[in-house]
Amino acid sequence: MRKWNRVLIPAFFAVCPMPLLADEGSHLNPADTAWILTSTGLVLFMTVPGLALFYGGLVRTKNVLSVLIQCFAVTSLVSVLWMVGGYSLALTGNDELQPWIGGMDRLFLRGLDAQALIGSLPESVFCMYHLSFAVFAPALMIGGVVERMRFSSLLMFSGLWLMFVYVPVCHWVWGGGWLAQWGVVDFAGGIVVHTTAGAATLTAAWLLGPRRGYPGMLVPPHNLTLTATGAGILWVGWHGFSAGSALMANGAAGLAMLTTHIAATAGALVWMGVEWIRYGRPTLLGIATGLIAGLGIVSPVAGFIGPFGALLLGVVAGTVCFFAIGGIKRGLGIDDALDVFPVHGVGGMVGALLLPVLSLSAFGGTGLPGGHSVAEQTGIQAIAVLVSAGWSVAISFGLLKLVDRIIGLRVSADEEIEGLDLSSHNGKGYHF
């Protein structure tokens, strides 16, 4: 095995609830490989078509195609960038700069063949699994800028954001970087994916400004059937996120799948109940949003908590994220159109911060990882959340300003009124 594997494998598995695998002389495990191949397909299925349909149904009829093509295009762009340099810089070792960024041995994935292993997995499977995470993070951000951002600007920003925000944070937490060395725990992306994407989305929505007529004009979803279909795909696919993050077909994967499902269902029921009490009727959009909030909040902790802890997390998600939407839209006046930050950003951050408490045996958890006390681990988690969110906000702000100077961020008023389907993509979602 290459020299960098001796750095990567211990660092990565230090934050996962599994026995450390052998480095030199490790052997392919067909069961683990089959499960991670399946999990990779599930996570990619979450983005296209899952997230595309979920978001597509929430916008107006004149913008549905724009959301679909944005999800497909971002998936394609990120996949190429991951091959060119994202994977190498995020998840390989670097003797000199290891705390900050990975190495360049795998630029263009050179040398990655069928015989290369990461622990018990083919390295190609490990690379592809993390590619599906890298795709999902910038795709999430589409929900905050729909119906008004230029397609070219979205692609430019997504590509730059991947390399300058996602890749460094991924390395810091999962690639043996300085946060991993401190003992930060993020089982399935609450910090790396949801915190960074949520913070960037809030920044982008603020810089872009609200959609025309917002908040006075009611902008109802045009097709909740599409949204429900997408939510169902996200629900099932999320098990690839959580259970796949064990990187083995073992009890940790099973526990992560169980806790993910319980948190999602509890979040859906609690959100529906809060909405029912507050507004007099439960809605499909409410139960779907609560479901997604429950999935997001459990991501950083899925392999460390028990079923009871997952139930508590779902209750938190169904209440905290519900009221966070009002705080962002009415309190700050930011048009995060599809509530990416209050659902994903807030959920991911809260889940990461609650990990030390809910991992205790008193709540049915597997115990604190790393041997820290609850107070120590909470402080470590808080630093990781603040650093990741702050880095994402600062770099995203600079990148958005750069993109705005080069090609402009927002479509013209006439294009926005006409709808992005026709003005940007020369098509219509429906012909009646």
Side-chain angles (χ1 to χ4, degrees):
M1 297 292 288
R2 290 177 175 268
K3 181 179 179 180
W4 58 262
N5 278 356
R6 291 194 293 270
V7 176
L8 171 63
I9 294 173
F12 184 84
F13 289 118
V15 297
C16 293
M18 63 188 76
L20 183 64
L21 299 180
D23 177 18
E24 302 295 342
S26 58
H27 300 286
L28 175 72
N29 186 304
D32 295 343
T33 302
W35 169 235
I36 303 307
L37 283 169
T38 303
S39 295
T40 301
L42 287 170
V43 178
L44 190 59
F45 194 51
M46 286 167 55
T47 306
V48 285
L51 193 67
L53 291 174
F54 184 76
Y55 281 171
L58 291 174
V59 298
R60 286 169 285 188
T61 306
K62 62 183 180 180
N63 293 310
V64 58
L65 286 188
S66 70
V67 172
L68 300 180
I69 192 173
Q70 286 166 8
C71 288
F72 276 76
V74 166
T75 298
S76 301
L77 174 64
V78 170
S79 298
V80 172
L81 291 176
W82 191 251
M83 182 274 292
V84 171
Y87 170 71
S88 188
L89 293 171
L91 292 172
T92 70
N94 186 324
D95 289 340
E96 293 78 23
L97 299 175
Q98 177 62 24
W100 312 110
I101 199 67
M104 295 187 286
D105 287 353
R106 285 291 193 247
L107 293 181
F108 292 92
L109 299 185
R110 64 174 183 261
L112 197 161
D113 55 29
Q115 283 69 49
L117 296 179
I118 293 287
S120 64
L121 298 174
E123 189 180 355
S124 58
V125 176
F126 180 82
C127 173
M128 183 64 196
Y129 181 64
H130 275 280
L131 164 61
S132 64
F133 278 65
V135 162
F136 191 72
L140 271 180
M141 299 189 297
I142 293 170
V145 300
V146 292
E147 302 193 313
R148 62 204 192 275
M149 190 171 188
R150 290 179 182 271
F151 182 61
S152 56
S153 301
L154 176 71
L155 291 181
M156 181 181 290
F157 172 64
S158 297
L160 292 170
W161 185 87
L162 176 84
M163 300 306 295
F164 289 99
V165 176
Y166 183 85
V167 164
V169 175
C170 180
H171 180 76
W172 298 345
V173 177
W174 287 338
W178 68 278
L179 288 177
Q181 293 168 15
W182 275 28
V184 170
V185 175
D186 184 10
F187 188 80
I191 297 172
V192 176
V193 176
H194 298 280
T195 296
T196 57
T201 302
L202 194 66
T203 306
W206 175 65
L207 279 176
L208 270 174
R211 291 163 290 176
R212 290 181 63 84
Y214 178 90
M217 181 179 64
L218 183 65
V219 186
H222 91 278
N223 191 331
L224 282 176
T225 303
L226 287 184
T227 296
T229 303
I233 293 173
L234 286 166
W235 189 353
V236 175
W238 214 282
H239 293 300
F241 238 165
S242 294
S245 290
L247 294 182
M248 300 174 101
N250 64 358
L255 180 65
M257 178 174 283
L258 177 62
T259 56
T260 297
H261 184 74
I262 291 173
T265 51
L269 290 173
V270 170
W271 191 296
M272 181 183 71
V274 172
E275 184 181 57
W276 202 339
I277 294 170
R278 191 173 179 85
Y279 300 115
R281 294 180 184 178
T283 67
L284 173 63
L285 179 58
I287 197 170
T289 307
L291 168 74
I292 303 302
L295 292 169
I297 201 171
V298 78
S299 292
V301 303
F304 295 102
I305 63 173
F308 182 67
L311 181 67
L312 294 177
L313 271 181
V315 173
V316 172
T319 52
V320 172
C321 295
F322 178 92
F323 290 105
I325 289 178
I328 297 300
K329 291 187 178 296
R330 291 187 293 274
L332 299 180
I334 298 176
D335 184 17
D336 179 354
L338 307 185
D339 303 318
V340 178
F341 178 76
V343 174
H344 293 275
V346 171
M349 289 187 284
V350 170
L353 294 173
L354 290 178
L355 183 148
V357 173
L358 294 182
S359 65
L360 295 174
S361 58
F363 294 99
T366 62
L368 278 170
H372 296 104
S373 68
V374 172
E376 290 171 340
Q377 189 66 48
T378 301
I380 291 170
Q381 296 295 105
I383 290 172
V385 167
L386 289 173
V387 167
S388 300
W391 178 264
S392 185
V393 168
I395 301 301
S396 297
F397 182 87
L399 294 177
L400 288 162
K401 284 292 188 181
L402 176 65
V403 172
D404 190 27
R405 180 174 290 273
I406 296 173
I407 56 178
L409 285 177
R410 187 162 180 153
V411 299
S412 68
D414 289 341
E415 290 173 321
E416 187 174 347
I417 292 170
E418 182 182 26
L420 303 190
D421 288 0
L422 279 173
S423 64
S424 297
H425 306 292
N426 194 32
K428 296 176 68 175
Y430 306 98
H431 294 273
F432 298 108

